[in-house]
Structures are given as structure tokens and as C-alpha cells.
Amino acid sequence: ALFAEASKSGLFTGDELEPGASVGTDEEIEEWIRKVAADDFHIVGGANMGPASNPMAVVSNELKVHGVENLRVVDNSIMPKLISGNAAQPAMLIALKAAKMIKDDN
């Protein structure tokens, strides 16, 4: 119903661009989706943050890798779960905080 109303409004004009008129059956639509679809995901949660006493923790709250000197994890892998928005901004904030911590350490 939404698309029918939108087409009546004149907002959508011209021929269908994707997948095109040649794709019409459920099987053809599924085949087209499998061909063109890609997953865009951001890896998070791979480097759990926590105290060294936590066997699941990879990095400290200062982003230092437990058991390894002079190595920090400065990316979204320290986040416990994926946010619903763009992951670029949290990555920039993590980097900003890490830069301050590194500067303060030196």
C-alpha cells in the first residue's frame, strides 16, 4: 500500500532500475539478492576490556593488552556490542582517548 500511494504521488517516475523488469519471480529475486548483496559489519567485542584477573579480558581500561608491553588496542573491537549508528564516530573517540592516554604516559 505504501508503494502504491508513493507511485500515485508522482515521486517515483521512470523504469525500475534494480533489479529490473527481467527479475520477477521469487526465485529470480532471491538469485539477484544473493548476487548483489553484501554484508557491511563492524567487528566489535573481539578484545574485551577488563582487569587482568578476568580470563576473558584482553585489554585494560587503558587499552593496554594484558601480558604484552607497549601494545594497545585502539579500535572498535574493545566495544562490548555494536551500536545502532555509524561506527566511525566511536572509533574516533576511542582513538582520541587513546592518544591522550599515550601522551599522559610519556
Side-chain angles (χ1 to χ4, degrees):
L2 175 65
F3 294 115
E5 289 301 314
S7 65
K8 287 180 194 174
S9 72
L11 292 174
F12 301 103
T13 60
D15 294 332
E16 176 182 325
L17 299 177
E18 294 289 339
S22 65
V23 177
T25 68
D26 288 348
E27 292 78 19
E28 291 169 336
I29 293 170
E30 182 179 345
E31 181 182 342
W32 179 81
I33 290 171
R34 289 184 187 280
K35 210 182 303 185
V36 300
D39 58 350
D40 291 331
F41 62 92
H42 302 279
I43 302 298
V44 299
N48 292 338
M49 187 185 301
S53 60
N54 179 347
M56 298 301 292
V58 176
V59 298
S60 70
N61 63 349
E62 295 177 322
L63 308 179
K64 295 178 180 179
V65 176
H66 296 304
V68 180
E69 289 188 35
N70 300 317
L71 181 63
R72 294 181 199 241
V73 174
V74 184
D75 64 19
N76 288 351
S77 65
I78 66 163
M79 296 169 53
K81 59 184 175 179
L82 187 60
I83 62 167
S84 61
N86 189 319
Q89 287 75 22
M92 287 184 253
L93 291 173
I94 291 166
L96 182 66
K97 180 68 175 172
K100 183 177 180 345
M101 288 187 287
I102 291 167
K103 184 179 176 186
D104 290 348
D105 279 357
N106 293 319

